[in-house]
Amino acid sequence: MKSRIRLAVSIALALVLGFAAATFARAQASAPAPTAVPSLDDPTIVAIFDAANTADIETAGLAARKGLHQDVRELGQTFLEAHKQVRQQGRDLAK
């Protein structure tokens, strides 16, 4: 069970870091050089949080639907449900 939790945490961390790196790379490639460093205000943080959870939900859904092994499908479903709840909590907090 501990190894499954470690695997789940490792996969989640890899997904979040991969999404963040890809988002940052896209933003850097398409944005002109900034003249001032923008601050991270609450609405921006909530938007980033929402986007990250949405990406995790989509990725977990792929694992749940297309995983070759039952363990992968179950883990994907677990992530899917958890990230939907967390995303909703963020949206509720933003109201």
Side-chain angles (χ1 to χ4, degrees):
M1 185 64 168
K2 285 185 181 182
S3 63
R4 244 182 118 171
I5 292 171
R6 279 192 215 126
L7 175 63
V9 170
S10 297
I11 291 170
L13 182 58
L15 289 171
V16 169
L17 291 175
F19 177 75
T23 302
F24 181 76
R26 268 188 256 123
Q28 291 296 316
S30 64
T35 56
V37 176
S39 64
L40 284 176
D41 57 2
D42 287 348
T44 303
I45 292 169
V46 169
I48 292 169
F49 182 77
D50 191 78
N53 275 300
T54 299
D56 289 342
I57 289 165
E58 291 170 1
T59 305
L62 285 173
R65 289 188 313 276
K66 297 189 181 249
L68 298 179
H69 301 283
Q70 184 64 29
D71 286 351
V72 172
R73 291 190 302 273
E74 289 173 3
L75 184 60
Q77 187 62 38
T78 300
F79 280 1
L80 180 74
E81 293 166 6
H83 281 279
K84 280 184 176 180
Q85 290 175 356
V86 170
R87 181 178 64 179
Q88 188 58 51
Q89 289 172 348
R91 288 178 175 180
D92 292 343
L93 182 65
K95 290 181 184 176

